Amino acid sequence: MSETQNETSGANAARYALELQGISKSFGLVRANRDINLKIETGTIHGIIGENGAGKSTLMNILFGMHRADSGKMFVDGQKTKIRTSADAIAHGIGMVHQHFMLVNRFSVLENVMLGSEGGSLLKQGKQATIARLQELGETYGMVVDPHALISDLNVGMRQRVEILKALKGGARILILDEPTGVLTPQETEQLFEILRVLRADGVTVLLITHKLAEIMEITDNVSIMRAGKMVGHRATADTSPQELAELMVGRKVLLNVDKDAPQTNDVLLDVQGLGAMSSRGHRILDDVSFHVKGGEILGIAGVSGNGQTPLMEILTGMRIPDRGHVEILGETISHDAPKTPKQLREIGVGHIPEDRHVHGLVLDFEAQENMILGYHDGALSGDGRLMDRAGIRTHCETQMEKYDVRPRDPLLPAANFSGGNQQKIVIAREMYSHPKVLIVGQPTRGVDVGAIEFIHKQLIALRDAGCAIVVVSVELDEVMGLSDRIMVMNDGKNIGIVDADKTDTNMLGLMMAGIEQEAVA
Amino acid sequence: MNVTPPLPKWADLVLLPLINLFAAFFVCGLIVLAIGENPFTALNVMIKGAFFYPESLGYTLYYTTNFIFTGLAVATAFHALMFNIGGEGQAYLGGLGAAVVALLFGPNLPMLIVLPLCILSSAAFGALWALIPGYLQAKRGSHIVITTIMFNFLASSLMVWLLAGPLMQQGQQSPQTVLFAESAQLPQMREVLGYFGFELANSPWNLSFFIALIALVVFYILIWKTRLGYEIRAVGKNQEAARYAGINVAKIIIIAMAISGAFAGLMATNEVLGVHNRVILNFTAGYGFTGIAVALMGRNHPIGIFLASLLFGALYQGGAELDFEFTSITREMVVLIQGMIILFSGALAYMFNPSLARLIARISAPKETTDG
């Protein structure tokens, strides 16, 4: 090993748990990472922040051996290291908790943690060893989990804990967390941070990838900022501000808070009474939900995802039939006996920006211009002849792309080839074009970069000020609080309460999201 | 998890299929070599046999006609993400559709009325035979692959019963209908071109070739120019987004299957109206299944389907010649070549994709490394 010894990076090698020098990675003509230099001090929490598509995930995948860098060097604990597979990474003490959990839902905690290191063809011995190790880890880090519980019975926070335990059990001393808080309540996030602090105290190095500025400020020691595949800055967290970080991420000044006037409301355009729905397996997923929205106001719906927001949106847009209750929307009734199709609702002026643009909002293989008329392809947008007016569709798309600043401005490019923010802009441009009177919005800025978030929020506020009744469902609490005039909190398919946005705070909403009813103020 | 760079469009559409084709022929060449014949001589015989003997081009185009119809059938359904394996049965029923009209009206009505009716009827029967599995898929969730395969068997049994029973020509032993009246016989290309002064050798090439060309154009307009085509593609590419867009997914699946069946049914215009002038047992002879390979190779696009049909037509005809010329090579060699082509351009279609993409990326990659 004399060769690797010669290649260690200077005298203060042990100071850095991880060091990258000149890492570059291209996919064809796309250069996802360019000449990345990064030093991560041992025993610190280091944040990596950047917009979507900035190259964070690529960099982490290189660290974890899922991609191989085209050039550059990597040092783990001062030793020059080549990581070719994730097994290599684990062997070097690097563990990763993915954004989407890699757990087998029908397996127990124990079975999941053992996965990949069963230890021989008979499970018994490995099981006992794993249980002992889990207990030890649980005591050290305050992460107690019942090893025999089924993953499917655990809540999201606990599942994430299992993921962390899985990484630590493999001997990880460097833990990479990819957008870990996206699915957590504020309280769960706080618990996660508590665990991370304990890990840090024990000398574990944590790499936290996120796009949430507040979290960076709260938990990290140092932060590195990426933009367009490059590292654009390293800061000690204590010496920086959210404003500076946002500017570094986007490359220009950005407005972090939503800027809006008091609402000018008029008639009730959407009135929901006692709405209920069952899942296909017979679970009640929406339970006696009532609320109303007036023209000119935004009702935000807060809640951990999977607490009834999706079926509610589906009913309001004609994609699901309720089993109880009814909706009065722009003079029409939706109920079990009088269902409406998405087409009928669109025709009376209900716009729908779906929660998941990849599943519902876009046909990814379609050209941008074909997506720009999706749902409106029967109407005047596609021309008035028997055949579709491709030239007209294209002109329309070009105009909309200009107006909503979709980049690149190429109507013929398949939707899949746009970045998340630009895909969302296509959906928003389409749904705004028809001047909806009621707009149902799900996760307006999921996977969208900071610059585009500001733009999308402005568009929604402008539509509100034009008299549209808007319902916004979002798992980003900051977003719900910033955009909404009133906030409804959902838990387990029920309406826990509706509060005025300026008379509440994260703590109160967090408790409501956990199902604890608060005294409603509106 | 290795992400390959995207292939430029021209390479994806032209270069990759050619490489796949070359690979298929290369493997076949090795096999011919192993048999003890010279692969280049064999290739030469095949090409001559398919295109250069007096009657060979006519035969090639006659086969091509069948493949265009069945290829279009598979492609139409596939745009709605329906895998229609039932082209064989739908074409068979198309033959029945043509026969019903030809036998009923042929003796009494002029050609200008009977022939169009026969053509429409063959399309309608094919459409109906595909519509039922389409309905079962859309409304009942019965998998289209299973139902269309079963409908092939149903079609086969039904036709055996009809051809050996109610429709059987009296006074002979073959399971076939009587010869159609002349008003229900599609003119031969030799006659038509002869009228304009072109001399053609004898071949089964008939006017249905033009119907096939028209079908290609109709298919193109339908899929890429109409709202129905837009909805079919939307359903095929993302059923959930189609539902979100207010498209009646079940209706579109049924319609797409019906159109698919209509194209398959039209194959009868070639075999029944143009060649045999009667319905004979098993006239579909596997063309319906080969249509899957044609659509696959033609990337569900009319130009691709035409070229793939021509290739398979040439293989059928040239392969027959191969059998004729070499004692050691039998007609099964054609099946082998077909199999190789399907293997390389269907199942392994993207085998060369990563290396080709890397090669192209390396050649065209920007050299600068120090900007910004």
Side-chain angles (χ1 to χ4, degrees), chain B residues 182-206:
Chain B
E182 275 203 25
S183 65
Q185 296 184 6
L186 212 53
Q188 297 300 300
M189 211 57 109
R190 191 166 53 93
E191 298 165 16
V192 179
L193 292 183
Y195 181 79
F196 292 105
F198 294 100
E199 281 298 316
L200 230 62
N202 202 7
S203 79
W205 189 29
N206 59 72

Side-chain angles (χ1 to χ4, degrees), chain A residues 28 31 66-67 230 319 342 346 352 358-360 362-363 365-366 370 374-375 377 382-383 385 387-388 430-431, chain B residues 1 3 5 221 225-227 230-231 233-234 237-238 240-241 243-247 361 364-366 368 371-372:
Chain A
R31 295 193 288 160
M66 316 251 285
H67 291 324
K230 288 181 282 195
M319 299 184 69
R346 214 169 252 124
H352 179 193
H358 289 180
V359 174
H360 290 111
L362 295 166
V363 179
D365 289 344
F366 269 18
E370 289 178 306
L374 189 71
H377 56 278
S382 60
L387 301 183
M388 290 182 121
R430 179 181 72 213
E431 298 302 315
Chain B
M1 210 176 82
V3 181
I221 294 174
K225 299 289 172 190
T226 66
R227 289 180 185 85
Y230 178 91
E231 295 194 344
R233 284 184 297 126
K237 293 288 188 194
N238 185 345
E240 277 302 305
R243 210 161 71 78
Y244 156 84
I247 294 168
S364 58
E368 94 276 32
D371 72 327

Side-chain angles (χ1 to χ4, degrees), chain A residues 298-318:
Chain A
I298 296 179
L299 177 77
I301 297 182
V304 177
S305 63
N307 275 285
Q309 302 96 316
T310 303
L312 175 63
M313 288 185 69
E314 285 173 343
I315 292 172
L316 296 180
T317 54

Side-chain angles (χ1 to χ4, degrees), chain A residues 97-304:
Chain A
V97 176
H98 294 268
Q99 187 173 2
H100 304 285
F101 301 152
M102 309 273 182
L103 295 171
V104 183
N105 280 339
R106 311 285 296 180
F107 271 17
S108 69
V109 170
L110 178 64
E111 285 167 318
N112 269 289
V113 173
M114 283 175 72
L115 209 58
S117 54
E118 294 86 355
S121 50
L122 288 179
L123 286 179
K124 194 174 177 192
Q125 221 174 359
K127 266 188 179 170
Q128 282 163 346
T130 310
I131 290 178
R133 180 92 176 107
L134 273 179
Q135 200 158 10
E136 181 191 324
L137 286 171
E139 279 164 16
T140 322
Y141 299 122
M143 285 189 281
V144 184
V145 186
D146 173 11
H148 302 291
L150 275 187
I151 294 296
S152 52
D153 294 337
L154 298 181
N155 66 27
V156 180
M158 289 303 270
R159 289 182 196 189
Q160 189 171 53
R161 205 170 278 192
V162 175
E163 281 279 22
I164 295 174
L165 283 169
K166 210 166 103 182
L168 291 175
K169 186 223 151 212
R173 298 298 293 169
I174 302 172
L175 192 62
I176 306 173
L177 297 153
D178 189 3
E179 300 281 359
T181 60
V183 288
L184 304 181
T185 63
Q187 280 80 1
E188 284 172 331
T189 302
E190 210 32 66
Q191 286 165 8
L192 171 69
F193 285 177
E194 209 38 61
I195 291 169
L196 296 186
R197 287 190 188 102
V198 174
L199 287 172
R200 172 173 62 185
D202 193 54
V204 175
T205 309
V206 178
L207 213 58
L208 179 73
I209 298 139
T210 181
H211 64 274
K212 294 181 182 172
L213 295 166
E215 290 172 1
I216 290 284
M217 297 309 293
E218 182 185 343
I219 182 94
T220 64
D221 301 303
N222 295 294
V223 55
S224 300
I225 305 100
M226 289 188 78
R227 183 172 77 232
K230 288 181 282 195
M231 274 293 169
V232 292
H234 305 282
R235 295 284 185 276
T237 310
D239 302 337
T240 188
S241 66
Q243 196 61 40
E244 187 195 18
L245 291 178
E247 279 171 35
L248 282 166
M249 274 164 74
V250 184
R252 61 176 169 82
K253 278 204 176 301
V254 284
L255 207 60
L256 284 181
N257 296 318
V258 183
D259 198 12
K260 64 182 202 290
D261 300 323
Q264 304 291 321
T265 55
N266 46 49
D267 303 340
V268 171
L269 297 182
L270 173 65
D271 190 14
V272 175
Q273 289 301 331
L275 207 59
M278 303 282 269
S279 75
S280 54
R281 288 187 186 168
H283 293 295
R284 181 144 291 282
I285 47 177
L286 197 61
D287 193 359
D288 194 24
V289 169
S290 304
F291 63 91
H292 71 267
V293 190
K294 290 177 177 170
E297 73 168 342
I298 296 179
L299 177 77
I301 297 182
V304 177

Side-chain angles (χ1 to χ4, degrees), chain B residues 255-267:
Chain B
I255 292 176
M257 279 305 290
I259 297 172
S260 168
F263 280 130
L266 281 173
M267 199 197 97

Side-chain angles (χ1 to χ4, degrees), chain A residues 328-379:
Chain A
E328 302 297 329
I329 188 166
L330 297 169
E332 297 279 336
T333 302
I334 306 173
S335 69
H336 183 261
D337 300 321
K340 297 282 176 294
T341 66
K343 198 172 166 180
Q344 286 170 322
L345 288 171
R346 214 169 252 124
E347 276 163 4
I348 61 169
V350 181
H352 179 193
I353 296 170
E355 282 187 287
D356 190 332
R357 57 181 167 270
H358 289 180
V359 174
H360 290 111
L362 295 166
V363 179
L364 287 176
D365 289 344
F366 269 18
E367 296 160 349
Q369 58 179 11
E370 289 178 306
N371 274 297
M372 199 60 96
I373 59 167
L374 189 71
Y376 303 91
H377 56 278
D378 272 338

